[in-house]
Amino acid sequence: QVQLVESGGGLVQAGGSVRLSCAASGRTFSNTAMGWFRQAPGKEREFVAVISWRGGTTFYADSVKGRFTISRDNAKNTVYLQMNSLKPEDTAVYYCAASQGSGSWYYGTSYDYWGQGTQVTVTS
């Protein structure tokens, strides 16, 4: 079992920046890809970004490419999402998730563990 706890969300003005953190504990963090998803009110959960176990591979949703950066520190069992140039449409609950199996990283069904989420609200 892996427990994931997100932090760093809050209220920010458009154009601002926020860094989310996701701390993992419990079962080994190794060989685990880590992803970020988000869900806005009235919308389906959507993929934001993912990073491979060693950090050498990252993918981003087109909507955040060039603005968001995912990274990880395996020594601290923590993954980060640096969000810059925020827009009101980035407002959502952000979830981190861990994938230890196969399947496309773009789909939530490929992830085995989820955090409780952290709210990010971007005001115009």
Side-chain angles (χ1 to χ4, degrees):
Q1 193 79 3
V2 174
Q3 291 80 41
L4 303 173
V5 179
E6 302 98 334
S7 61
L11 189 67
V12 61
Q13 288 188 331
S17 299
V18 167
R19 188 176 83 154
L20 304 182
S21 299
C22 174
S25 62
R27 191 178 168 184
T28 179
F29 196 51
S30 63
N31 297 317
T32 302
M34 297 297 297
W36 286 95
F37 287 75
R38 67 186 182 186
Q39 187 167 20
K43 295 187 177 181
E44 294 187 354
R45 181 180 61 194
E46 64 174 356
F47 168 80
V48 174
V50 64
I51 187 167
S52 61
W53 155 236
R54 297 190 185 280
T57 300
T58 57
F59 296 107
Y60 297 90
D62 288 343
S63 59
V64 307
K65 203 171 293 182
R67 300 188 297 123
F68 291 11
T69 302
I70 189 171
S71 61
R72 66 190 295 166
D73 184 341
N74 289 340
K76 296 181 179 180
N77 286 348
T78 300
V79 63
Y80 306 96
L81 185 68
Q82 178 67 45
M83 305 189 294
N84 299 329
S85 302
L86 283 163
K87 305 175 182 179
E89 51 263 44
D90 294 318
T91 295
V93 177
Y94 284 73
Y95 299 90
C96 73
S99 176
Q100 298 184 321
S102 59
S104 171
W105 288 338
Y106 292 100
Y107 300 106
T109 52
S110 298
Y111 293 79
D112 306 287
Y113 304 100
W114 292 83
Q116 81 290 349
T118 186
Q119 176 72 46
V120 174
T121 302
V122 184
T123 60
S124 58

